Amino acid sequence: ETVMTQSPGTLSVSPGERATLSCRASQSVSSNLAWYQQKPGQSPSLLIYGASTRATGIPARFSGSGSGTEFTLTISSLQSEDFAVYYCQQYNNWPLTFGGGTKVEIK
Amino acid sequence: DVQLVESGGGLVQPGGSLRLSCAASGFTFSSYNMNWVRQVPGKGLEWLSYISSSSSSINYADSVRGRFTISRDNAKNSVYLQMNDLRAEDTAVYYCARDFCSGGRCYEWFDPWGQGTLVTVSS
């Protein structure tokens, strides 16, 4: 099983600042990585697929990078609506696996 | 609008069974692979099961293989999860989620997700 490890567990950021979230895979997943955002009481929603392609309607302040085993989600200037939990997910190997999540909270 | 609506959750005793349903609308259901994912309240996401558009390919997580069965009915635009021998650790919100498919190829990232249905396993 491909283990996905996200860091940090919690990130405290002020509105307008940049947030950098990391996701590491225990083996190569190529670029077969997605990022999701989950707000309290809501279902997850797709942000990024293919490691770096924004899903439809996702603002340009969200960007993804990386390949192989190291990936990054960057939010260039945090808006109030961006405070949420973010999950990475690999779809290169079965079983499909998620990281444990990074909570982005208001500093 | 593309929509997934889960139902069938509730309170069940350990060792019991439950069948979850997910009704799809707003897209050609028979062209898409589908998945079930769960989330223990306050915890992370766990992928459980996948079924291809024609039901020819099915996969399970080790944690549920042999206890859970995924199926679909393309005529009813629905996917199901039959859960048997339920345990306390199966208590979670269960989501159905659609694969991305385009140009005859599908990829196992999930968009959209349903709103989820809560399953509580307790005596």
Side-chain angles (χ1 to χ4, degrees), chain B residues 74-97:
Chain B
N74 286 344
K76 295 183 177 180
N77 290 342
S78 294
V79 60
Y80 308 99
L81 189 67
Q82 176 67 42
M83 305 186 296
N84 298 331
D85 188 25
L86 283 161
R87 307 164 180 169
E89 55 265 36
D90 295 318
T91 295
V93 175
Y94 286 71
Y95 298 101
C96 64

Side-chain angles (χ1 to χ4, degrees), chain A residues 1 32 34 36 38 41-46 48-50 55 87 89-91 94-100, chain B residues 35 37 39 43-47 50 59-62 95 99-100 107-116:
Chain A
E1 171 176 317
N32 295 317
Y36 302 89
Q38 187 177 33
Q42 296 185 15
S43 308
S45 61
L46 178 69
I48 300 278
Y49 60 90
Y87 294 95
Q89 176 234 333
Q90 66 82 20
Y91 50 94
W94 295 100
L96 309 176
T97 48
F98 290 90
Chain B
N35 299 266
V37 178
Q39 184 173 36
K43 302 297 183 182
L45 301 166
E46 180 188 16
W47 169 81
Y50 156 98
N59 268 312
Y60 296 101
D62 286 347
Y95 298 101
D99 269 13
F100 177 84
Y107 302 87
E108 279 68 55
W109 67 77
F110 307 134
D111 184 41
W113 299 58
Q115 86 289 351

